[in-house]
Amino acid sequence: SGGAFRDWPVEKLADVTVEQAVTHPNWSMGKKITIDSATLMNKGLEVIEAHYLFGVDYDNIEIVIHPQSIIHSMVETADSSVIAQLGWPDMRLPIMHCMSYPARNSVSDATWPRLDFTKANNLTFKAPDREKYPAMDLAYAAGRAAGTMTGVLSAANEQSVQMFIDERISYLDIMKLNEACCEAHKADL
């Protein structure tokens, strides 16, 4: 989706408050994942997951901003067609699919309203702004570094986001701390 600040200019990010960072335009989630969505670290970690789960090279994994949060994942096949998993912005369905795969469980409309394309309206996409979202490049670099670097990035992010929630650091300091931890860990690889 691009998170809470997808439409903000980079210059405004220096003044972000915790309250602003935990207000997502599409999703109702906990503070940590909502802040990860705002920084796009959630997508960076998903890139690492996709690499390990599906054996896909980092050069073949792309992050795109999809403001409506209807498409949860897309896979381009060898013939260039794209298979996508779509649903309302509610993680229960993708989680159910993962838990029951390869079966498809029946659901009631009361439990999961069907995706109505006439109500979903437009599906739009844009490339992420790398200056606004440095977490992406940091996640790709951690993945390519291999070894324990992805674990260090994830642990650093857990701590730095909590420090931001506790108002001990600024929003922009989250990625600065994450990067510093990864840089310090290079000597240990």
Side-chain angles (χ1 to χ4, degrees), residues 96-113:
M96 182 181 73
H97 176 62
C98 289
M99 300 294 286
S100 62
Y101 184 83
R104 290 287 185 165
N105 293 340
S106 296
V107 297
S108 71
D109 284 343
T111 306
W112 269 290

Side-chain angles (χ1 to χ4, degrees), residues 160-176:
S160 61
V161 169
Q162 188 59 55
M163 290 171 71
F164 171 67
I165 290 169
D166 295 341
E167 299 182 351
R168 293 170 43 210
I169 63 171
S170 74
Y171 175 79
L172 293 179
D173 287 338
I174 295 170
M175 284 312 123
K176 290 175 185 171

Side-chain angles (χ1 to χ4, degrees), residues 3 6-7 9 11 20 33 64 66 91 113 116-117 119 151 166:
R6 68 178 176 225
D7 298 321
E11 302 77 38
Q20 291 167 323
I33 187 62
V64 295
H66 171 52
M91 286 307 293
D116 181 342
F117 285 99
K119 292 179 182 168
D166 295 341

Side-chain angles (χ1 to χ4, degrees), residues 31-48:
K31 288 180 180 182
K32 165 66 169 61
I33 187 62
T34 304
I35 293 169
D36 280 353
S37 179
T39 64
L40 232 57
M41 181 56 81
N42 64 329
K43 297 300 159 200
L45 294 172
E46 288 171 9
V47 164
I48 294 165

Side-chain angles (χ1 to χ4, degrees), residues 5-188:
F5 310 122
R6 68 178 176 225
D7 298 321
W8 285 36
V10 173
E11 302 77 38
K12 280 188 69 177
L13 297 180
D15 301 320
V16 164
T17 66
V18 173
E19 184 179 338
Q20 291 167 323
V22 298
T23 305
H24 196 285
N26 301 348
W27 296 89
S28 176
M29 307 179 289
K31 288 180 180 182
K32 165 66 169 61
I33 187 62
T34 304
I35 293 169
D36 280 353
S37 179
T39 64
L40 232 57
M41 181 56 81
N42 64 329
K43 297 300 159 200
L45 294 172
E46 288 171 9
V47 164
I48 294 165
E49 291 168 3
H51 169 77
Y52 283 106
L53 290 173
F54 305 111
V56 179
D57 188 83
Y58 286 105
D59 292 335
N60 295 323
I61 304 171
E62 229 181 308
I63 297 172
V64 295
I65 303 289
H66 171 52
Q68 297 80 22
S69 301
I70 298 293
I71 298 178
H72 300 286
S73 63
M74 297 186 288
V75 175
E76 183 178 3
T77 62
D79 67 1
S80 79
S81 62
V82 177
I83 300 168
Q85 195 278 317
L86 290 77
W88 294 116
D90 183 331
M91 286 307 293
R92 294 177 302 161
L93 186 58
I95 291 169
M96 182 181 73
H97 176 62
C98 289
M99 300 294 286
S100 62
Y101 184 83
R104 290 287 185 165
N105 293 340
S106 296
V107 297
S108 71
D109 284 343
T111 306
W112 269 290
R114 302 285 176 187
L115 181 60
D116 181 342
F117 285 99
T118 63
K119 292 179 182 168
N121 293 324
N122 297 323
L123 300 179
T124 60
F125 307 91
K126 64 181 180 177
D129 178 339
R130 295 187 119 61
E131 184 182 359
K132 184 188 285 189
Y133 301 111
M136 292 184 324
D137 290 335
L138 189 56
Y140 278 100
R144 288 184 176 112
T148 53
M149 188 63 82
T150 57
V152 167
L153 173 61
S154 180
N157 188 63
E158 290 283 336
Q159 294 301 309
S160 61
V161 169
Q162 188 59 55
M163 290 171 71
F164 171 67
I165 290 169
D166 295 341
E167 299 182 351
R168 293 170 43 210
I169 63 171
S170 74
Y171 175 79
L172 293 179
D173 287 338
I174 295 170
M175 284 312 123
K176 290 175 185 171
L177 284 174
N178 291 352
E179 185 174 10
C181 288
C182 289
E183 192 60 38
H185 186 61
K186 283 182 181 177
D188 297 328

